[in-house]
Amino acid sequence: MSLFSNKSNGSVDVLSKVLADSYVLLVKTQNIHWNVEGSEFRSIHLMTEEHYNNLFDAIDVIAERIRMIGGKSPATFAEFSKLASFDEKVNSENQTEMLESLLSSHEAIQGDIISGIKQLEGSDDLGSIDVLNSRLAFHDKVVWMLKATLKK
Ligand SMILES: [Fe+2]
C-alpha cells in the first residue's frame, strides 16, 4: 500500500480543516494587528505580526502536504469559510475582547488538530501527523501567552 496514492486514511480531510482554520485565523489576526487601539497597542500589534507570519508560512506547508499525499488543496475564501470551525469576525473594538476572541480561535484550532492527530493515529501517514504536531506546538504556545496576557 502506498501512502501517496491512498486518500482513504482521512489525512486530506484533517489537513484541509486545519488549513482552513489557519487561513481564517490569519485574516482575523491581521484584522487585530491593523485595527487594535488602546494602551496595549504596541504589544498587541507586534505579537499579532509574529502570529500572522507564522500562520502564513504554515498555510503553505499544510497545503503542500495535502498535495504530497494526493489530495487537492482548498484554495478559495468560500472553501476556507465553509471548512473552518470559526469565522474571521472579531466582534469587538475593545483590546481585551479582541484578545479573548483571538484566544477562542486558537483554542478551536487546537481542538481540531488534537482530534485530527487522534484520527490519524495508527495510520502510516507520519509526515502529516508531524505537520499537525508542529502546528499544535505553535497554538499551545499562543494559548498560553494569550491566557497569561489576559490574566486579571
Ligand atoms: Fe504590519
Side-chain angles (χ1 to χ4, degrees), residues 30 33-34 45 48-49 52:
Q30 282 194 316
H33 175 74
W34 295 324
H45 183 72
T48 47
E49 181 169 348
Y52 75 65

Side-chain angles (χ1 to χ4, degrees), residues 46-57:
L46 295 176
M47 178 183 69
T48 47
E49 181 169 348
E50 286 174 17
H51 293 180
Y52 75 65
N53 283 327
N54 178 295
L55 290 162
F56 185 80
D57 291 343

Side-chain angles (χ1 to χ4, degrees), residues 95-131:
Q95 59 184 0
T96 303
E97 288 173 9
M98 281 179 155
L99 290 185
E100 285 166 352
S101 176
L102 195 61
L103 173 60
S104 77
S105 294
H106 280 278
E107 287 176 330
I109 193 168
Q110 248 183 339
D112 286 340
I113 294 170
I114 290 167
S115 52
I117 291 169
K118 284 182 179 165
Q119 189 183 323
L120 299 187
E121 249 169 15
S123 83
D124 291 334
D125 191 0
L126 301 180
S128 293
I129 293 170
D130 195 45
V131 168

Side-chain angles (χ1 to χ4, degrees), residues 25-38:
L25 186 53
L26 171 69
V27 173
K28 184 171 184 172
T29 302
Q30 282 194 316
N31 182 349
I32 295 170
H33 175 74
W34 295 324
N35 291 310
V36 67
E37 290 183 324

Side-chain angles (χ1 to χ4, degrees), residues 55-86:
L55 290 162
F56 185 80
D57 291 343
I59 283 159
D60 196 47
V61 170
I62 299 164
E64 289 178 358
R65 182 69 200 170
I66 291 171
R67 298 293 296 136
M68 269 175 235
I69 59 174
K72 178 122 171 48
S73 180
T76 64
F77 285 126
E79 287 170 293
F80 293 142
S81 296
K82 200 170 147 208
L83 285 169
S85 291
F86 49 89

